[in-house]
Amino acid sequence: QAIWSWLKTASLLSCEPFGFRRRRQDISMDAGSAKYLEDNIGGVLAKALAEMSVVQPKDGVDFLSRWLKTYAEQEEAKAVHEREEAELAAQRKQMKAKMQAAEEKKKEREAAAQKLETLYTELLDKLSSPDTRFQEGMWQELVDVAQATTGASAVYLGVAEAGEEGGDPSGPYISYEYASKGSEWMTEKTLPQGTGLTWGALTENPPEETFKEM
């Protein structure tokens, strides 16, 4: 727009008296101003003048002003396009990063699931094999695998004891022998019959009233 105004002014100056224009032409330009013009419009004016020399319009000032106006509009459109392309590139990069992160998480979940499946299968094969000699450590292994595969916060393994009359506790109870990591304190506890829900798993064909009470 500044160039357009300047060219319009130049067009008006062309109509001024010769003597007045001559005085204007005598005004010298300092080196700083010349460098400014060269850095900012020198290259553009060179293109405009080169094209004008080919076209050779009757009104050179009008041709030059319109050429520069069109050039400015094209440059602005080019800048807008470049900004839009940069924004799209950034969005594509962000989307790609999200997709890669999601894929990594998926692989991690699949690896974790495969690890649990392997733990379960190996223990099952070991316990099912006729060549396996049972060892006490297998109980703890069973507890650890059960916790890992079920996602339970804690797993306990107990033995149902008949109990002795006058003992503590008196009557049947469950003595916890093994517990998952962090719950080892349960191995010091017992669960008397009729307490909690665990005994329901040890009752064969419990009556329907039992479930209503739970």
Side-chain angles (χ1 to χ4, degrees), residues 9-24:
T9 302
S11 181
L12 292 174
L13 289 176
S14 64
C15 300
E16 293 175 353
F18 175 78
F20 186 75
R21 294 204 306 272
R22 182 61 179 269
R23 287 195 297 274
R24 285 180 176 273

Side-chain angles (χ1 to χ4, degrees), residues 109-130:
R109 291 193 298 268
E110 291 176 348
Q114 183 59 49
K115 182 179 179 180
L116 294 178
E117 180 66 23
T118 301
L119 285 174
Y120 174 78
T121 302
E122 289 179 350
L123 179 61
L124 182 62
D125 292 343
K126 184 190 295 184
L127 298 178
S128 302
S129 174

Side-chain angles (χ1 to χ4, degrees), residues 4 18 47 98 102 107 116 127 132 142 174 177 182 201 212:
W4 176 262
F18 175 78
K47 294 179 181 179
K98 289 182 178 180
K107 290 180 179 179
L116 294 178
L127 298 178
T132 299
L142 175 62
I174 295 176
E177 304 295 329
K212 291 182 179 179

Side-chain angles (χ1 to χ4, degrees), residues 8-193:
K8 288 298 183 182
T9 302
S11 181
L12 292 174
L13 289 176
S14 64
C15 300
E16 293 175 353
F18 175 78
F20 186 75
R21 294 204 306 272
R22 182 61 179 269
R23 287 195 297 274
R24 285 180 176 273
Q25 293 171 357
D26 291 340
I27 299 175
S28 60
M29 183 179 296
D30 60 82
S33 298
K35 186 177 186 307
Y36 168 80
L37 293 175
E38 176 64 26
D39 293 342
N40 287 272
I41 62 173
V44 176
L45 282 177
K47 294 179 181 179
L49 293 175
E51 186 169 338
M52 187 170 68
S53 66
V54 174
V55 177
Q56 296 186 359
K58 292 182 179 180
D59 189 342
V61 173
D62 180 71
F63 174 87
L64 185 60
S65 64
R66 292 181 183 279
W67 189 97
L68 290 174
K69 183 174 184 294
T70 301
Y71 175 85
E73 292 173 348
Q74 291 175 344
E75 288 297 304
E76 177 62 23
K78 181 181 177 182
V80 171
H81 178 71
E82 290 177 350
R83 288 196 298 269
E84 292 176 347
E85 285 294 320
E87 291 175 359
L88 288 174
Q91 292 174 2
R92 286 192 291 266
K93 183 178 180 180
Q94 186 178 16
M95 181 61 66
K96 183 178 179 180
K98 289 182 178 180
M99 292 177 64
Q100 289 177 341
E103 184 64 23
E104 289 297 324
K105 290 183 179 180
K106 179 182 177 182
K107 290 180 179 179
E108 290 175 0
R109 291 193 298 268
E110 291 176 348
Q114 183 59 49
K115 182 179 179 180
L116 294 178
E117 180 66 23
T118 301
L119 285 174
Y120 174 78
T121 302
E122 289 179 350
L123 179 61
L124 182 62
D125 292 343
K126 184 190 295 184
L127 298 178
S128 302
S129 174
D131 299 328
T132 299
R133 294 186 60 185
F134 190 84
Q135 299 175 359
E136 287 296 322
M138 291 182 179
W139 291 120
Q140 187 61 51
E141 185 178 359
L142 175 62
V143 168
D144 295 337
V145 171
Q147 182 185 25
T149 55
T150 62
S153 58
V155 174
Y156 321 123
L157 181 62
V159 179
E161 303 285 1
E164 298 181 0
E165 187 178 349
D168 185 21
S170 59
Y173 64 93
I174 295 176
S175 175
Y176 292 104
E177 304 295 329
Y178 300 91
S180 55
K181 186 177 180 180
S183 300
E184 293 84 356
W185 53 272
M186 279 295 295
T187 58
E188 301 176 1
K189 303 294 183 179
T190 60
L191 185 67
Q193 187 177 31

